Amino acid sequence: MPLDTSTYALSLLRLDGRRWNELRRISAQISTQAASDGSSYLEMGNTKVICTITGPAERKRGGGAGGGRDDEKASIEVE
């Protein structure tokens, strides 16, 4: 879509040609990774995010130095 500069000054545009109130194009998909329990893909401008969820997994029981404490924990890995 060509930019109509007759109603909007070029000096008010962002470097990529968007007006101050315009968002970048957004694209989203779900269930993108067959090997995971849940997954999604999100793209906004040059930013791309892949998220996968696996689980539930068996809890590891151990006699560590925690004094028998049984805390719930979650881990997040970012690559």
Side-chain angles (χ1 to χ4, degrees):
M1 170 166 97
L3 182 63
D4 181 15
T5 57
S6 63
T7 59
Y8 206 81
L10 285 176
S11 62
L12 298 176
L13 295 177
R14 297 179 186 195
L15 293 176
D16 60 1
R18 292 178 294 130
R19 295 183 175 110
W20 70 271
N21 61 349
E22 289 181 305
L23 295 175
R24 291 181 176 97
R25 181 171 301 219
I26 297 174
S27 171
Q29 299 173 9
I30 59 172
S31 300
T32 57
Q33 304 292 317
S36 64
D37 293 321
S39 61
S40 63
Y41 175 79
L42 177 68
E43 188 173 320
M44 184 174 183
N46 292 329
T47 303
K48 297 165 180 60
V49 178
I50 296 175
C51 179
T52 59
I53 305 295
T54 56
E58 288 290 322
R59 290 184 68 169
K60 295 179 182 176
R61 300 267 182 188
R69 215 166 138 190
D70 199 17
D71 292 339
E72 297 282 333
K73 294 184 181 180
S75 64
I76 299 174
E77 296 178 25
V78 178
E79 296 179 14

